[in-house]
């Protein structure tokens, strides 16, 4: 149905043939957040559309890497949510679609050894993992 890329960031939305004619208002957009907000090594792409009366938006992103870059990742996220010009009210994707799917290489990490993380997951210690 729709596909878009920004350097190595790719998003492809497929729909079954029997549903194709129930799709309307297809929009595609991309936003670079890399060096000087021009280079597309970081950033995101979005596809939005209506399926019957339900509005859907899919965003694929690649956010800043490395453990100490949490503020940069958060900034990338907010820049994408403001910069992807999709929907009736460009400037903020949060509240204008019935369903918003934000996916990709988000680069958020837990600063623990893998075995410790797996043990905490097994023990359902979500509070420790969130911290």
């Amino acid at each position: 149905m729709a596909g878009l890329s920004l350097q190595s960031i790719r998003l492809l939305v497929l729909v079954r043939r029997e549903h194709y004619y129930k799709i309307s208002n297809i929009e595609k957009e991309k936003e670079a957040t890399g060096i000087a907000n021009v280079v597309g090594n970081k950033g995101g792409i979005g596809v939005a559309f209506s399926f019957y009366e339900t509005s859907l938006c899919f965003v694929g992103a690649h956010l800043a890497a490395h453990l100490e870059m949490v503020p940069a990742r958060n900034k990338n996220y907010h820049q994408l949510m403001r910069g992807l010009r999709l929907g009736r009210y460009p400037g903020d994707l949060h509240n204008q679609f019935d369903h918003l799917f934000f996916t990709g290489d988000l680069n958020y990490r837990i600063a623990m050894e893998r075995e410790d993380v797996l043990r905490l997951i097994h023990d359902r210690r979500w509070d420790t993992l969130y911290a």
Side-chain angles (χ1 to χ4, degrees):
M1 179 196 69
L4 191 62
S5 66
L6 175 66
Q7 285 193 353
S8 64
I9 305 168
R10 308 250 191 281
L11 180 63
L12 182 64
V13 178
L14 303 172
V15 69
R16 295 183 118 179
R17 186 171 309 196
E18 67 250 31
H19 299 302
Y20 183 77
Y21 295 103
K22 297 156 185 131
I23 304 290
S24 62
N25 305 318
I26 300 170
E27 299 177 83
K28 302 186 290 187
E29 185 66 66
K30 54 187 166 183
E31 175 78 8
T33 62
I35 300 167
N37 295 326
V38 175
V39 178
N41 63 323
K42 304 292 185 220
I45 49 185
V47 173
F49 58 93
S50 295
F51 178 64
Y52 285 102
E53 300 297 320
T54 303
S55 60
L56 303 167
C57 181
F58 295 85
V59 176
H62 187 196
L63 306 182
H66 306 296
L67 191 59
E68 69 279 359
M69 297 298 285
V70 172
R73 276 190 286 286
N74 294 342
K75 182 179 177 186
N76 289 165
Y77 169 79
H78 290 291
Q79 184 176 345
L80 287 172
M81 297 305 281
R82 283 189 314 272
L84 290 171
R85 305 280 184 214
L86 298 167
R88 293 182 300 218
Y89 312 108
D92 186 5
L93 299 180
H94 289 102
N95 298 307
Q96 62 177 316
F97 296 98
D98 294 316
H99 301 281
L100 172 65
F101 301 89
F102 195 95
T103 65
D105 186 355
L106 307 182
N107 276 311
Y108 285 96
R109 295 169 164 85
I110 297 175
M112 291 181 174
E113 294 296 321
R114 178 181 171 82
E115 293 306 316
D116 294 335
V117 171
L118 292 175
R119 182 180 44 76
L120 290 168
I121 291 170
H122 180 266
D123 295 343
R124 303 174 80 71
R125 296 280 312 278
W126 310 124
D127 55 335
T128 304
L129 291 168
Y130 287 139

